[in-house]
Amino acid sequence: MTHWFHRNPLKATAPVPFNYYGVVTGPAASKICSDLRSSRARLLELFTDLNCNPQMMKNAADSYFSLLQGFINSLDESTQESKLRYIQNFRWTDTLQGQVPSAQQDAVFELISMGFNVALWYTKYASRLAGKENITEDEAKEVHRSLKIAAGIFKHLKESHIPKLITPAEKGRDLEARLIEAYIIQCQAEAQEVTIARAIELKHAPVLIAALAYETANFYQKADHALSSLEPAYSAKWRKYLHLKMCFYTAYAYCYHGQTLLASDKCGEAIRSLQEAEKFYAKAEALCKEYGETKGPGPTVKPSGHLFFRKLGNLVKNTLEKCQRENGFIYFQKVPTEAPQLELKAVYGLVEPVPFEFPPTSVHWTPETLAAFDLTQRPKDDSAKPKPEEVVKPVKEPDIKPQKDTGCYIS
């Protein structure tokens, strides 16, 4: 597989000791705090462990989230929140805005932020897998599924949990609607790239490939539009990626639409479609250069040198030359001045996010365990409360180099 995906950095977080001296009055409550501390640390470790697979990630995430639910939901499953929801301050950085974290004294903020990182992990796992040499069919399916799972997590956070925050997300932060919407759509678009590659490999009808490519280009355009009102200082590189992928898959759509037109003996229109493919490919090539030169979160690479990019250039060139030869020998049709309208609607292969739900509250949370947290014993002067402006160290992510001849770069 010869895909290349842009990836923003993982969110970083300050350590959380879950120590509540005086508040914890029994061994069951003490055990819950110990388990929260260890399961959180384990989950954070797995984010950068190259040996981690989706099952390991799911198990670790479920373990932590099921314990954290006791800080959020009442045990009787009523709409009432847990008395512990606001006991702990959590600090998280954002994927775009550097090392100055956001801080909220709210367990829902922790649930959302950690869930966000789990979704990011699935995108990075998919990206890493797609960069392997000689990827198998099962691995391609895993890439496809991981991106759909990530989209589902982002969607669930946006619809079901972010609205519950007492303090709304600040402008340009990860939990703001524009950013999380862009992440959802990007995951869907990248999953469709896998579908397109599979359709090409299996030599499906050009009309199907053209429609899928057109829908994918529209996804990238929609994601770019979601970020259009953000500060360029931190969104420009990501937007260059989305724009170049939009142009790239528009070129794909015109290329395969041209093949469909040629098969229908509309050689003049086919040539015009291929000329439009050349135009969008040239735009994508220029954006590749701009992407490499743009500062901001994400890898420093030259996408135009990647195999996935070069293959399309050769396909457009060869298909156009074939159409021109056919027209010169057989059809003698006039080439229209206007490019054909791409009114393509994919019937098969469109990607929807995999529905996601957080696990239920751990069985270790009982009424007796909850009663062992005595909030009347909290210190009135919480001088240990961290300051939001303190710097949180960025996550040291593994340096993944592209495999030989795949043209992929994984961040």
Side-chain angles (χ1 to χ4, degrees), residues 12 127 149 185 229 243 295 300 314-315 375 391:
S127 193
I149 289 172
I185 300 167
S229 55
H243 194 189
K295 293 181 179 179
T300 302
N314 290 333
L315 180 65
L375 295 184
V391 170

Coordinates of all heavy atoms in Angstrom, one line a residue, residues 12 127 149 185 229 243 295 300 314-315 375 391:
A12 N -0.3 15.6 25.2 CA 0.5 15.3 26.3 C -0.3 15.7 27.6 O -1.2 16.6 27.5 CB 1.8 16.0 26.3
S127 N -1.7 4.4 10.0 CA -0.6 5.1 9.2 C 0.6 4.2 9.2 O 1.3 4.0 8.2 CB -0.4 6.5 9.8 OG 0.4 7.2 8.9
I149 N -12.7 3.2 13.2 CA -12.9 3.2 14.7 C -12.5 4.6 15.2 O -13.2 5.2 16.1 CB -12.0 2.1 15.4 CG1 -12.5 0.7 15.1 CG2 -11.8 2.3 16.9 CD1 -11.6 -0.4 15.5
I185 N -13.8 13.8 9.7 CA -13.9 13.7 8.2 C -12.6 13.2 7.6 O -12.6 12.4 6.6 CB -14.2 15.1 7.6 CG1 -15.6 15.6 8.1 CG2 -14.3 15.0 6.1 CD1 -15.9 17.0 7.9
S229 N -11.4 28.9 9.5 CA -11.4 30.1 10.3 C -10.4 30.0 11.4 O -10.4 30.9 12.3 CB -12.8 30.3 10.8 OG -13.3 29.1 11.5
H243 N -5.8 20.1 1.5 CA -6.0 20.7 0.2 C -5.3 19.9 -0.9 O -5.9 19.7 -2.0 CB -5.5 22.2 0.2 CG -6.0 23.0 -1.0 ND1 -5.5 24.3 -1.3 CD2 -6.9 22.7 -2.0 CE1 -6.1 24.7 -2.4 NE2 -6.9 23.8 -2.8
K295 N 5.7 25.6 8.2 CA 6.0 25.2 9.6 C 4.7 24.9 10.3 O 3.6 25.4 10.0 CB 6.7 26.4 10.3 CG 8.1 26.6 9.7 CD 8.7 27.8 10.5 CE 10.1 28.0 9.9 NZ 10.8 29.1 10.6
T300 N 8.0 16.7 8.5 CA 8.6 17.5 7.5 C 9.0 16.5 6.4 O 10.0 15.8 6.5 CB 9.8 18.2 8.0 OG1 9.4 19.0 9.1 CG2 10.5 19.1 6.9
N314 N 2.0 9.3 -13.5 CA 2.2 8.4 -14.7 C 0.9 7.9 -15.3 O 0.8 7.8 -16.5 CB 3.1 7.2 -14.3 CG 4.5 7.6 -13.9 OD1 5.0 8.6 -14.5 ND2 5.1 6.8 -13.1
L315 N -0.1 7.6 -14.5 CA -1.4 7.1 -14.9 C -2.1 8.2 -15.8 O -2.6 7.9 -16.9 CB -2.3 6.7 -13.8 CG -3.6 6.2 -14.1 CD1 -3.6 4.9 -14.9 CD2 -4.5 6.0 -12.8
L375 N -15.8 13.6 51.2 CA -15.4 14.9 50.6 C -15.4 16.0 51.7 O -14.8 17.1 51.5 CB -16.4 15.3 49.5 CG -16.3 14.4 48.2 CD1 -17.2 15.0 47.2 CD2 -14.9 14.3 47.7
V391 N 4.1 24.3 31.8 CA 4.4 23.6 30.6 C 4.3 22.1 30.9 O 4.8 21.6 31.9 CB 5.8 23.9 30.0 CG1 6.2 22.9 28.9 CG2 5.8 25.3 29.5

